[in-house]
Amino acid sequence: MKIIIVGMGKIGSAIAYQLVNEGHDVTAVDIQSEKLFKVSEDMDISCVKGSGADSDILSEAGVENTEIVIA
């Protein structure tokens, strides 16, 4: 399942880790490069830098083909 998670704080990262381990295709969206860098080092995850409230950023993350968006 394709899932976008907006926000890679403690909760967003924990959810991403669980979903990636379950075999889901996860894309992380965050405005802070450092958070995206950390999660991309720890797991196989796509990352998009920007605000999850911006429709262009969500389009870049692939929202049109996503089953679930978690924010």
Side-chain angles (χ1 to χ4, degrees), residues 4-58:
I4 294 175
I5 301 175
V6 177
M8 286 292 104
K10 290 180 184 179
I11 294 171
S13 297
I15 293 170
Y17 182 78
Q18 181 66 38
L19 292 172
V20 167
N21 282 338
E22 291 176 5
H24 298 287
D25 180 11
V26 177
T27 300
V29 176
D30 201 292
I31 58 174
Q32 296 183 13
S33 299
E34 302 83 28
K35 289 183 179 181
L36 293 173
F37 181 74
K38 183 175 180 347
V39 296
S40 69
E41 281 190 319
D42 294 342
M43 61 188 103
D44 183 20
I45 191 169
S46 301
C47 297
V48 176
K49 183 179 183 295
S51 171
D54 184 334
S55 61
D56 291 335
I57 296 298
L58 291 175

